[in-house]
Amino acid sequence: MSVQERKQRERAERERLIVATARELAEQQGWDAVTTRRLAERIEYSQPVLYSHFRGKREIIGAVALQGAAELATAVRAATSAAGHPRARVAALARAYLDFAARNPAVYDALFQLDGGLAYAQEDTPEPLKDAFAALLETLGEVTGDGVHPGQFTEVFWAALHGLATLTRTGRLLPEDAEPRVELLVDRLAMV
């Protein structure tokens, strides 16, 4: 291995460590606790080393969001691939999405609540974000009604899921009623 390759590998490892540490700290104490000073202390690198990878917290949030988008896409695809018919796939998608949001609140915030400097629904949207939406569209496109644009239907269904995830997490909806809400969403919105 050349010196250049070794340096690139070490840089990538440092970047992964910064993102993993930021994510862990955010999940434990919230995003307000994530500062470059605290990250530097936790990973035992100087703040200038952090700034050589990320210009600041906003870019770190963006990196966590991209990682989360890839994980969300994987979770949705795994759940839907195990389901047999369209209704079961849509219900599995909804459960996987809501479960991801509940298990990863800081990552979910990085994806959908905080400014990570990422473009959404644009030409320059990063590939992991496009793929997360594609994972939803793959299943929801199967149940789009006649004359309904599959992308728009997916946006509306996603918005409903986001609302359920957010309202449940903030205590405005009872978590024990999650399953009846999924059933209602699938039966009435997806009509499958």
Side-chain angles (χ1 to χ4, degrees), residues 82-104:
H85 53 83
R87 186 190 189 292
R89 283 192 291 280
V90 173
L93 177 149
R95 288 184 196 102
Y97 184 97
L98 295 171
D99 183 57
F100 179 87
R103 285 184 299 106
N104 304 284

Side-chain angles (χ1 to χ4, degrees), residues 6-162:
R6 182 181 54 79
K7 285 183 180 184
Q8 286 175 339
R9 188 186 77 233
E10 289 171 355
R11 180 171 178 75
E13 287 172 10
R14 273 193 313 271
E15 193 166 299
R16 278 191 296 277
L17 178 61
I18 293 166
V19 171
T21 304
R23 182 175 173 166
E24 177 183 315
L25 186 57
E27 291 291 1
Q28 291 171 351
Q29 300 176 32
W31 279 104
D32 288 342
V34 179
T35 64
T36 53
R37 169 175 269 154
R38 288 186 81 185
L39 286 174
E41 288 171 4
R42 281 203 174 197
I43 64 173
E44 298 177 346
Y45 284 109
S46 68
Q47 283 181 294
V49 170
L50 264 72
Y51 285 116
S52 74
H53 291 274
F54 299 98
R55 284 182 272 173
K57 182 175 175 177
R58 182 178 186 221
E59 284 189 5
I60 294 169
I61 290 169
V64 170
L66 293 177
Q67 188 179 73
E71 292 170 10
L72 177 60
T74 298
V76 166
R77 286 188 175 112
T80 57
S81 70
H85 53 83
R87 186 190 189 292
R89 283 192 291 280
V90 173
L93 177 149
R95 288 184 196 102
Y97 184 97
L98 295 171
D99 183 57
F100 179 87
R103 285 184 299 106
N104 304 284
V107 173
Y108 193 81
D109 284 349
L111 268 165
F112 302 119
Q113 303 289 89
L114 302 174
D115 179 10
L118 303 173
Y120 286 78
Q122 307 292 321
E123 279 187 36
D124 60 340
T125 297
E127 203 53 46
L129 298 177
K130 289 179 183 178
D131 189 50
F133 185 78
L136 300 175
L137 181 61
E138 289 162 10
T139 295
L140 295 170
E142 294 178 31
V143 298
T144 302
D146 292 337
V148 178
H149 187 278
Q152 289 174 345
F153 177 77
T154 300
E155 290 169 348
V156 170
F157 198 92
W158 170 32
L161 288 174
H162 176 69

